[in-house]
Amino acid sequence: MPTPAGDARITWHRAASASASASGARAVLAVSHGAGGGIEARDLRALAAALPPLGVDVALVEQPWRVAGKKVAPAPKTLDTGWRALWPALEKPGLPVVAGGRSAGARVACRTARELGASAVLALSFPLHPPGRPERSRAEELLDAGLPTLVVQGDRDPFGRPEEFPELPVGMELVGIPHGDHGFAVPKRADIGQEEALALITGAVADWLARLPG
């Protein structure tokens, strides 16, 4: 899809329907990737597999820089521009849209969700601060989302462990994933396996989506 920042791509994972002429979805979850990877991220793939059977269309959004094959993400303002331009396509099914993303994609969602009319925000691996630089907190960006928000954070995330987050206001929730790093990878010596960690993520997101108003 064309955007002012270049061509982007949306990959849809649709909810099943008993009727070929009707949608089986009750909501859309639109999620984008981080600054160091694409929609092949393990948490995004897991959500795209787990949520459609529960009645949620999942739209995996590839930012223009990634579609163009570049290795370095542009400035936040450019990321926001690409995301805004895609929003009409995400709204097209006529369903409530939850804006989400992982890492840099989560920041984009937080910055733009309210102005775009999203119903809620999903922040996967929110980069609370650069690794080793807790004084450079991005907490305000998260708190300013102004919508029901779920943060899913690995316990070993160098960009911000769950205990480093400030007290969240009513309407914002945080779920920690044991042993997870920034990509939710868990070490082999951990007392949970990789698939179990991913099931914790998808279960937490599914439960939260079911509890959202409307």
Side-chain angles (χ1 to χ4, degrees):
M1 293 192 63
T3 82
D7 287 348
R9 182 183 293 119
I10 302 175
T11 301
W12 287 93
H13 297 261
R14 303 283 191 179
S17 173
S19 169
S21 61
S23 171
R26 55 185 170 82
V28 172
L29 172 63
V31 285
S32 190
H33 51 80
I39 61 171
E40 70 276 6
R42 59 173 60 84
D43 50 337
L44 302 186
R45 292 201 317 268
L47 290 171
L51 295 182
L54 302 178
V56 179
D57 282 348
V58 177
L60 301 182
V61 177
E62 292 178 83
Q63 282 270 4
W65 69 272
R66 183 77 180 183
V67 174
K70 297 178 181 178
K71 297 185 181 301
V72 180
K77 183 177 180 180
T78 303
L79 296 177
D80 293 354
T81 295
W83 180 255
R84 288 188 182 99
L86 291 170
W87 196 256
L90 300 172
E91 289 184 309
K92 190 174 182 179
L95 300 169
V97 183
V98 175
R102 62 166 289 102
S103 194
R107 295 182 64 194
V108 172
C110 288
R111 289 192 297 261
T112 62
R114 185 163 45 179
E115 69 174 90
L116 293 173
S119 59
V121 174
L122 173 63
L124 302 162
S125 296
F126 184 84
L128 185 64
H129 58 71
R133 301 292 301 275
E135 73 280 1
R136 295 181 58 186
S137 175
R138 302 183 181 114
E140 186 175 352
E141 197 171 71
L142 173 67
L143 298 174
D144 282 349
L147 293 171
T149 301
L150 176 65
V151 181
V152 184
Q153 206 76 7
D155 281 357
R156 297 187 301 116
D157 192 333
F159 289 83
R161 299 183 303 277
E163 64 269 19
E164 294 182 79
F165 280 73
E167 182 177 354
L168 299 179
V170 174
M172 287 192 171
E173 304 176 30
L174 188 150
V175 173
I177 303 302
H179 308 289
D181 64 9
H182 193 58
F184 295 116
V186 298
K188 292 183 178 179
R189 65 180 182 277
D191 56 7
I192 67 169
Q194 188 64 67
E195 291 305 311
E196 187 177 355
L198 292 174
L200 291 175
I201 296 169
T202 58
V205 173
D207 175 71
W208 172 71
L209 288 172
R211 291 186 282 109
L212 285 176

